[in-house]
Structures are given as C-alpha cells and as structure tokens.
Amino acid sequence: MNLTTHYLGLELKNPFVPSASPLSRNIDTCRRLEDAGASALVMYSLFEEEIMAEAEHLEHLWEYQDIGQCETDSFLPVHYEYRTREEEYLEQLSALKSALEIPVIASLNGTTPKGWTEHARDLQEAGADALELNIYYVPTDLSESGQAVEDRYIEILKRVRKHISIPVTVKLSQQFSSPGHFIKQLEAAGADGVALFNRFFHPDLDLEKLEVTSVLTPSTPQEALLRLHWIALIHNRVKLSLAATGGIHSANEVIKILLAGADVTHLCTTLLQHGPERIRTIQQGVENWMERNEYKSVEQLKGSVSQMNAMDPAAYERTNYMEILQSYQPK
Ligand SMILES: Cc1cc2nc3c(=O)[nH]c(=O)nc-3n(C[C@H](O)[C@H](O)[C@H](O)COP(=O)(O)O)c2cc1C
C-alpha cells in the first residue's frame, strides 16, 4: 500500500498531518506524533499581537527598572535571561527540527505588514520547511467590501512571498463569497497551497450575567463535509496543494476528503481528544478501506470522486439542494 502524497512541494509518506495546536509545544508529544505515523507537523501559530503586547509590557518594565527601585529590582527578570515569545517560538522550531525527521511547517498570525514579513523571514531562517499563514481577520467595519477583504489577504501573501523562498500556504476561513475564485487569486499571487477551512470560535452569551463569553467547543465529523464540498469543487481546477482542516476525526473523513481531492488531511481535535496514537488507528482504517476497495495508492485515490471525476457532477451543485428539500418526509 503506497500512502505517499505530495504537499507544498514536499514528498510525504502519508496524508496524515497534525495541524496547528498546543500539541506542538511539547517535543515528546511531537516525537509520539511522528512515531504514530504523522508525515509532517504544523506548529502552533506565532501571534504578532502577542509579541507586540509583550514588547510594550517589557518596555514599561525596563523603564520602571531603570528608575532604580532597589527592592523591586530583584523581582524583575534580568535582560539577558528573558526570552521573548518570538525567541521561544524560534527555539521550539529549531528543537523540533532537530528532534524530528518529518518536515515542520511553521504558522504565523501577523497583524502589521512589517510583522508578517519580518517574522516570516525569521521562521524561514530558523529552519521551517514551509510556512502556513493563519490570517484571521473579522471585517467589523461595515463599509469594508468583500473585495477589500480579499485584497488584504492577497497583499499579505504577496509581501511574505517576496521575502521568503520556502513554500507558503494560506489557511482560510470559510467566509468568502466565492472561495474558488479567491483561491485562484491566491495561486496567482504565489500561494503554494491552501488549508480549508480554519475553525474560528464564535462569541456566546451568558444568559445570567448578560456577558459575552468565549468557549472552545470541539469540532464534529459533520464539519468535514463543508471541507469535502469545496475541495471536490476546486480539485484539478487549481494547481496549488490542498489541505483539509476541520472535523476530520476518523479514517472515514480522511478517505472521503482524499476522494474529494485533498493532498493532505489535517488532524487536531481528534488528537487532542485521543492522543497522538490516534494517527495509527486512522492509518489502519484507511489502509483497510483501500485494500477492500482495491486502491493501491493514495495518489490513485486522490480526487477520484471530485466534481470533475464524479459520476454525477451535479450532485455537488445546486440541483441537489432542491432534491434534498423536496424529498424530505416530515414525521
Ligand atoms: C486548542 C486549539 C489550538 C489551536 N491553535 C491554532 C493555532 O495556533 N493556529 C492555527 O492556525 N490553528 C489553530 N487551531 C486550529 C486547528 O489547527 C484546526 O484547524 C481546527 O481546530 C479544525 O480542525 P479540527 O476539527 O480537527 O479541530 C487550534 C485549535 C485548537 C482546538
């Protein structure tokens, strides 16, 4: 059984890639991911916002220290001992590169044009095999058009692309009015891949305190269907690499997403819930299914039920919507 796949110009031994999560903060956990079969690893994101907040805080702290409050001085971190968030991230990246044989993909969430480019360059220098841009932008200004939001993404990508030579992929939200068209634009602007779709958390309301709350809810396999749909629609219509992220919990979702046309499947919630060894179970399930269905390789499997290759391409389109509604039998 040949599980080899190609993603962002890298040859990977299989399509099981842990996506950005706290799991990559621990080297031993990452070794377990690799031992269980992970073919590459996406690190948690380096957040520029965090770096900036920290820089402001430190500036204040050093200023205060310089005034010379003798007693409090001893409680403050000494300049040379202090590691900034970025230094910590770069150290973790180098440590992962030394500890693992699989490619390590860094992840960046920037906020300023300078931040996107400078941090991207630092990540490349620290040895990242590729870079995932985790662009998280909520257009709260009601006068900003969808086109302006898309231009913002393209601008970030072009800037980063100009400053680094490693492959760059963009992790997208699902909230674009014409994802296929936008992905083609990203491709033209130099993206080597896209990851569909990031899963953002929505504010909730506490009905007792009347406060806005934020909770992290685990994804469900149902969420993989949105990813399957868009991957099936764009497979073979773009040349860049396709990763699916969101709701991939078992071998079933992995197989479906590969049939739709993804090059890799990103795993997160399922690994947080079941541990790194979950990859082994998923791989076993995929291999069993391939054997039963006489597939010899993942390359042969990829995209074999994308819209272009499906027996009924219209099933991915609007006609199906009407049929589903009309065939519903109320209880
Ligand atoms: C606890 C947690 C931390 C995450 N951290 C990041 C991150 O730093 N950067 C990022 O791009 N995505 C991050 N994600 C998103 C995941 O990589 C993934 O895209 C998303 O959870 C959907 O996949 P899933 O359904 O398998 O969880 C995080 C998700 C969780 C649950």
Side-chain angles (χ1 to χ4, degrees), residues 137-254:
Y137 177 67
V138 182
T140 49
D141 176 355
L142 301 197
S143 65
E144 187 172 19
S145 69
Q147 182 64 54
V149 174
E150 290 188 8
D151 290 346
R152 199 181 261 274
Y153 276 64
I154 300 283
E155 193 47 40
I156 292 169
L157 171 66
K158 280 187 174 164
R159 276 175 181 275
V160 170
R161 187 66 291 173
K162 232 167 51 192
H163 285 79
I164 61 172
S165 55
I166 53 174
V168 177
T169 180
V170 186
K171 193 171 187 181
L172 291 178
S173 106
Q174 65 198 57
Q175 288 160 339
F176 290 94
S177 46
S178 182
H181 176 261
F182 181 44
I183 290 165
K184 276 186 90 69
Q185 283 183 287
L186 289 169
E187 181 174 61
D192 299 283
V194 281
L196 311 182
F197 293 106
N198 207 348
R199 189 169 172 269
F200 297 124
F201 305 102
H202 302 292
D204 198 353
L205 296 184
D206 182 320
L207 289 180
E208 298 310 315
K209 296 183 186 156
L210 294 187
E211 277 174 4
V212 182
T213 59
S214 309
V215 273
L216 194 155
T217 47
S219 67
T220 63
Q222 185 67 18
E223 293 175 43
L225 299 184
L226 175 76
R227 283 73 184 172
L228 182 159
H229 193 176
W230 278 101
I231 288 193
L233 288 173
I234 62 175
H235 174 255
N236 252 350
R237 294 190 168 103
V238 289
K239 291 196 182 67
L240 41 65
S241 295
L242 299 177
T245 175
I248 304 171
H249 284 238
S250 71
N252 283 357
E253 288 82 58
V254 169

Side-chain angles (χ1 to χ4, degrees), residues 30 70 128 173 327:
C30 295
C70 302
S173 106
S327 63

Side-chain angles (χ1 to χ4, degrees), residues 19-20 22 44-45 134 171 198-199 216 219 245-247 268-269 272:
S19 68
Y44 57 92
S45 297
N134 169 17
K171 193 171 187 181
N198 207 348
R199 189 169 172 269
L216 194 155
S219 67
T245 175
C268 177
T269 295
L272 293 173

Side-chain angles (χ1 to χ4, degrees), residues 54-67:
E54 182 186 52
E56 252 173 55
H57 179 68
L58 279 179
E59 204 172 304
H60 177 77
L61 210 63
W62 302 141
E63 227 171 70
Y64 181 66
Q65 193 177 23
D66 285 346
I67 295 170

